[in-house]
Amino acid sequence: MPVSSLFVALWLGLAAAGAATAQSIGNLPPEAAAVLQRERIPPEALSVVVEEVGALPVRGQPPAPRLRLQADKPVNPASLTKLLTTYAALDLLGPAWSWNTPVWINGEVRDGVLDGSLIIQGRGDPKLVLERVWLLLRRVQAAGVREIRGDIVLDTDAFAPPRASPADFDNEPLRPYNVRADALLLNQKTVIYRFTPDAVRNVARISAEPALAGTTVQAELPMAEGPCGDWRSTVKPRFDDPAQVRFEGRYPLACGERLWPVADPAPQTYAARLLAQLWAEAGGQLRGKVRAGPAPTATPPSFQFESPPLAEVVRDINKFSNNTMAQQLFLTLGLERAGQGTPEAAREVLQRWLAERLRIDPATQQALVIDNGSGLSRDTRMPAALLARLLQSAWSSPVMPDLMASLPASGTDGTLRRSQAPAGRAHLKTGSLRDVAGVAGYVLGDSGRRYLLVAIVNHPNAAAARPAFDALVQWTLRDGAVPGTP
């Protein structure tokens, strides 16, 4: 027997050996097994559950899964963790729930002059992006304020995230996915640098969005001939001085216009620099400074700036796997349901919700490790079977349309734009870290039946398992019988 065939046979045999247990039902489809064999990913690195959603019990027993391999083994689910955070939030807070950011115009306003301070209290809104911060300041100006003789005061005490550096996870502090949670998270503390070729002058013009007060950006960079390739390796940024952003090297002409999103190297002062800049751009004057301080919570705010509804935020989190927004939502659960915007409070809320909603047993509870709610963690652990139960529960819940609409659709949007599955037939959350890859969500079979699919690989070659997941999706789409079963 050829080596490849022998490996696939071994795969199927190992799966079949456990068919009588709760851990293994059915055999892995040969197409998926062949991918794992080719990429040298061993059988024990894979956890899978495929079962019909919403199927009625047979003789009082739940329908048997179509495929179940090592489903109870605690594994790192990477960004599949966001399914837990977002479903719990939709269920506990409601799809129409929104964040409110209180604003105090603290003093007398006369002839456009505020004889006092403007105070903004962060309450966790993850959608205070550039245009919405601008709208907030326009609300202040609509109240008659053009000049602030005091300060702009920022209260960020609603959240108490763990003390950590953006470099702690993977030593990549300038990656936007590493931005830490903040009660007053403005524009996700990110700057987008735009490189625009000027062929006549043989330079690339550099601009930053947004501009930040007190920070200057190098205006241009020499260009070079040759292919675009890995252009970021030829353009070397220098962020050692946050007040002066510089770039070295040459920009390839063949690249055309490109964008480079960067997490600001001085995140502690990002909000202050952004607000000072936007207030000045809007024609406002500030006699004092932007500083941290407490909000006067004993008096009602002048107005509250409302976020988009939670369902819209959940779509952003799941379709684009936004870690920072997921962590904002995680801490919000602690703040809104336990009175504390801390990881400990958020974990307690999620564990209590799981016990009530899914009625999970103590053994499953013990196998669950929740870190920060986003999956950007080496410590999170969750069995594939728990994710399957989560998806079954969501299917029969009132928030099912909102959760399912938030999942990337195959061949259509989000992280599944390049999926080989027919457009819209699979709605799957993706997850990936170093040594971790996974998918979880819903697949519409040719028969019209809907299935849930959870597949996770924990292995150094996990990134190469994506074609195996595609094979599992295609097999599920075809309503294929489990190999080796009647």
Side-chain angles (χ1 to χ4, degrees):
M1 183 181 294
V3 173
S4 60
S5 299
L6 179 62
F7 192 94
V8 172
L10 176 62
W11 248 105
L12 300 180
L14 285 171
T21 71
Q23 277 286 82
S24 298
I25 296 176
N27 302 329
L28 192 69
E31 301 92 335
V35 172
L36 298 177
Q37 179 268 332
R38 183 179 68 239
E39 302 299 339
R40 301 181 182 276
I41 300 173
E44 61 270 16
L46 174 69
S47 299
V48 180
V49 178
V50 179
E51 61 188 40
E52 187 177 352
V53 295
L56 297 175
V58 178
R59 298 187 182 93
Q61 297 297 320
R66 293 180 58 202
L67 182 61
R68 181 184 174 102
L69 303 174
Q70 301 188 104
D72 298 319
K73 177 183 176 182
V75 294
N76 189 331
S79 282
L80 304 187
T81 306
K82 295 180 176 71
L83 289 170
L84 168 60
T85 305
T86 54
Y87 174 29
L90 287 168
D91 190 53
L92 290 169
L93 302 176
W97 184 87
S98 59
W99 286 262
N100 281 294
T101 300
V103 178
W104 286 263
I105 299 173
N106 200 32
E108 184 180 1
V109 179
R110 181 178 297 176
D111 299 327
V113 177
L114 168 61
D115 189 13
S117 294
L118 177 70
I119 304 169
I120 305 172
Q121 183 186 49
R123 299 286 297 176
D125 185 351
K127 287 284 283 185
L128 282 172
V129 292
L130 183 60
E131 57 270 28
R132 297 193 68 252
V133 178
W134 181 85
L135 287 172
L136 185 153
L137 294 179
R138 289 290 296 172
R139 284 279 299 273
V140 175
Q141 292 194 337
V145 179
R146 293 293 183 274
E147 177 182 335
I148 302 172
R149 287 191 174 166
D151 299 325
I152 297 179
V153 180
L154 310 180
D155 183 342
T156 63
D157 290 343
F159 281 179
R163 293 185 178 180
S165 164
D168 287 348
F169 180 70
D170 57 5
N171 201 32
E172 294 279 0
L174 301 181
R175 299 276 189 173
Y177 63 73
N178 272 326
V179 170
R180 315 294 295 184
D182 193 318
L184 189 61
L185 182 73
L186 302 188
N187 204 47
Q188 298 191 40
K189 301 185 181 181
T190 296
V191 177
I192 297 177
Y193 295 95
R194 183 185 301 272
F195 295 81
T196 305
D198 183 342
V200 174
R201 298 179 55 237
N202 199 35
V203 297
R205 297 191 303 274
I206 306 172
S207 60
E209 174 113 348
L212 299 171
T215 301
T216 59
V217 179
Q218 180 177 322
E220 56 189 38
L221 191 67
M223 288 200 300
E225 298 295 334
C228 184
D230 183 15
W231 65 276
R232 293 185 185 181
S233 66
T234 63
V235 177
K236 302 185 184 301
R238 295 293 302 272
F239 295 116
D240 45 302
D241 180 5
Q244 176 63 59
V245 176
R246 295 179 293 128
F247 295 89
E248 298 176 348
R250 290 178 174 271
Y251 183 78
L253 174 62
C255 286
E257 186 173 81
R258 294 289 176 117
L259 303 178
W260 191 343
V262 174
D264 192 76
Q268 318 90 296
T269 63
Y270 182 93
R273 288 180 289 143
L274 178 61
L275 285 169
Q277 180 72 25
L278 291 181
W279 183 249
E281 288 179 0
Q285 294 184 340
L286 176 63
R287 300 301 181 189
K289 59 184 179 180
V290 186
R291 62 176 177 85
T297 52
T299 59
S302 303
F303 66 88
Q304 299 203 55
F305 192 70
E306 188 175 10
S307 78
L310 177 60
E312 181 177 326
V313 173
V314 165
R315 281 197 294 274
D316 285 348
I317 291 173
N318 285 335
K319 283 195 180 290
F320 304 104
S321 207
N322 192 299
N323 294 300
T324 304
M325 293 177 72
Q327 292 174 36
Q328 292 286 115
L329 181 56
F330 176 69
L331 293 177
T332 295
L333 285 172
L335 181 64
E336 294 296 324
R337 304 297 291 191
Q340 293 181 303
T342 65
E344 295 78 13
R347 291 184 197 114
E348 182 181 340
V349 169
L350 285 178
Q351 288 167 347
R352 186 169 61 246
W353 177 81
L354 279 168
E356 295 172 356
R357 173 63 66 187
L358 268 62
R359 299 179 182 175
I360 60 176
D361 55 72
T364 304
Q365 188 84 276
Q366 191 173 4
L368 176 66
V369 179
I370 303 171
D371 189 354
N372 55 32
S374 73
L376 192 70
S377 167
R378 306 289 180 204
D379 301 324
T380 302
R381 292 293 181 272
M382 189 180 302
L386 179 57
L387 280 166
R389 291 181 63 181
L390 199 73
L391 290 168
Q392 284 283 16
S393 171
W395 182 258
S396 60
S397 80
V399 301
M400 180 275 287
D402 302 286
L403 183 67
M404 188 168 177
S406 77
L407 302 181
S410 57
T412 302
D413 62 12
T415 56
L416 283 185
R417 287 191 307 275
R418 298 178 182 175
S419 170
Q420 299 303 307
R425 289 279 296 276
H427 288 74
L428 299 167
K429 180 74 193 76
T430 59
S432 60
L433 291 175
R434 187 191 68 223
D435 303 342
V436 182
V439 293
Y442 304 103
V443 178
L444 179 63
D446 291 339
S447 65
R449 295 176 179 176
R450 187 88 61 175
Y451 301 93
L452 67 83
L453 165 64
V454 179
I456 304 170
V457 168
N458 281 195
H459 188 266
N461 294 343
R466 293 291 173 189
F469 298 156
D470 288 340
L472 276 168
V473 171
Q474 295 288 356
W475 175 80
T476 306
L477 281 166
R478 296 191 303 268
D479 296 278
V482 177
T485 62

